[in-house]
Amino acid sequence: MKILVIGGAGYIGAHVVHAAQAAGHECVVVDNFSTGIKQRIEAEVVELDIAAPDAGEKLTKLLSSQKFDSVIHLAARKQVGESVEIPERYFLDNIGGMANLLLAMRETNHDSLVFSSSAATYGMPDAKQVKEDDPTSPINPYGQTKLIGEWMVQNAANWGLRGVSLRYFNVAGTGKVGMGDTAALNLIPIAIGQLRRGEVPKVFGDDYQTPDGSCIRDYVHVSDLAQAHIAAVDYLERSDRPFDTFNVGTGQGASVFEVLNALRAASGQDFEIEVTKRRAGDPPRLVANVDRIAQTLGFKTKHSLADIVDSAWNL
């Protein structure tokens, strides 16, 4: 297959490109390089901000110039705190970029799309494991834009789009040297950065209703997540597609303290930690129910928490 990967030079996008190429697919990458790095990939690259005023015309031209079997859309702003500070920018870029892409796909008869969504669509769930049909109530503009993106994919089925949304849980780890997460927006890269600067890793709250008092999250290796995209592209080729939304996680939760213990093992450092006050909007527990993706796509993760942390530290 020939796949257009929007945001393919980013941390997750580059892993998706490598996984697609390893599976025998040809990739063309679109990226504005605000966070993407060209050296992460070996593929044809088109530098383009899909939310720009003239992006619709440029996307249509690109999609008209060559036929793609599928499109994988990963490009978006993704900082929760920033989305609260400047929500207008998030709606403009995340929703505007999606609209430009869908209009271009519609005009050029490209009808297969895998959309990068997020567990942030669930908000503050009470369930031990969150299912795709559980209520969605995002608590920040970032999560709202992801949920609206899912609605846009669903509505585009009216003109024939075959679309699927993957709700990522906490993505971490590294699949190859030079492809690590440089943004440091999540616990593992943040803690690694703190250690390498000689600082003490921080824990935001130890009084949650969890076994050790710290928040519990579902950590999925970025290489496993990349494979989920390939499985989703294959799924869109099927005539029977009962679902358009899938959780991507392990189904297992790890607390902040457990993650930091894994980092102690990976780094060989018996470092101290600093417990500070809770952050607003942190749910005590957010873990995926992964039955749907396992049963429908035949997808299961392969990497453990130790694999994730070890790869993030060493690669």
Side-chain angles (χ1 to χ4, degrees), residues 140-197:
N140 53 64
Y142 165 70
Q144 292 166 356
T145 64
K146 287 298 184 180
L147 184 57
I148 294 170
E150 291 185 13
W151 295 345
M152 295 171 77
V153 172
Q154 292 164 357
N155 285 324
N158 293 327
W159 56 260
L161 181 75
R162 294 172 290 129
V164 65
S165 298
L166 300 180
R167 288 178 179 163
Y168 305 171
F169 280 67
N170 284 52
V171 186
T174 306
K176 188 177 179 182
V177 174
M179 290 176 55
D181 185 358
T182 58
L185 301 175
N186 299 313
L187 171 62
I188 293 172
I190 289 173
I192 288 174
Q194 289 168 331
L195 282 181
R196 289 182 169 157
R197 292 190 300 272

Side-chain angles (χ1 to χ4, degrees), residues 28-196:
V28 175
V29 169
V30 168
D31 206 296
N32 69 354
F33 298 103
S34 58
T35 59
I37 301 171
K38 285 185 180 180
Q39 290 73 22
R40 283 174 170 155
I41 52 173
E42 293 183 8
E44 179 185 344
V45 173
V46 177
E47 187 167 351
L48 173 62
D49 179 354
I50 67 166
D54 60 348
E57 180 181 346
K58 290 181 177 179
L59 283 168
T60 300
K61 184 177 180 180
L62 172 62
L63 290 167
S64 298
S65 67
Q66 45 190 314
K67 179 63 179 177
F68 296 95
D69 298 289
S70 192
V71 178
I72 299 176
H73 176 31
L74 307 106
R77 291 179 177 268
K78 62 176 185 178
Q79 296 186 43
V80 170
E82 183 184 61
S83 79
V84 175
E85 294 173 3
I86 46 170
E88 299 84 1
R89 175 57 61 185
Y90 273 68
F91 281 90
L92 178 63
D93 288 359
N94 293 4
I95 302 306
M98 171 66 98
N100 284 334
L101 176 61
L102 287 173
L103 285 168
M105 291 181 67
R106 179 173 185 165
E107 187 169 335
T108 58
N109 297 313
H110 284 80
D111 61 358
S112 175
L113 175 66
V114 178
F115 171 57
S116 163
S117 189
S118 170
T121 57
Y122 292 115
M124 301 275 282
D126 294 326
K128 185 175 181 180
Q129 288 186 329
V130 185
K131 297 180 180 180
E132 290 87 348
D133 292 331
D134 285 349
T136 49
S137 184
I139 59 174
N140 53 64
Y142 165 70
Q144 292 166 356
T145 64
K146 287 298 184 180
L147 184 57
I148 294 170
E150 291 185 13
W151 295 345
M152 295 171 77
V153 172
Q154 292 164 357
N155 285 324
N158 293 327
W159 56 260
L161 181 75
R162 294 172 290 129
V164 65
S165 298
L166 300 180
R167 288 178 179 163
Y168 305 171
F169 280 67
N170 284 52
V171 186
T174 306
K176 188 177 179 182
V177 174
M179 290 176 55
D181 185 358
T182 58
L185 301 175
N186 299 313
L187 171 62
I188 293 172
I190 289 173
I192 288 174
Q194 289 168 331
L195 282 181
R196 289 182 169 157

Side-chain angles (χ1 to χ4, degrees), residues 226-308:
Q227 291 298 328
H229 288 78
I230 309 309
V233 168
D234 293 339
Y235 172 72
L236 292 176
E237 294 297 305
R238 290 168 33 178
S239 57
D240 62 315
R241 298 187 303 278
F243 305 108
D244 58 18
T245 308
F246 295 93
N247 288 336
V248 187
T250 65
Q252 302 294 321
S255 73
V256 174
F257 289 127
E258 288 171 332
V259 171
L260 293 177
N261 280 335
L263 182 54
R264 287 189 177 102
S267 67
Q269 301 180 31
D270 189 18
F271 54 82
E272 298 295 322
I273 61 173
E274 178 185 349
V275 177
T276 64
K277 64 180 182 180
R278 293 186 184 191
R279 292 182 304 187
D282 269 346
R285 179 183 181 93
L286 189 57
V287 178
N289 180 295
V290 294
D291 291 346
R292 177 181 288 184
I293 196 168
Q295 294 167 4
T296 310
L297 273 62
F299 171 80
K300 292 184 179 180
T301 58
K302 297 179 180 179
H303 295 85
S304 66
L305 176 64
D307 295 334
I308 292 170

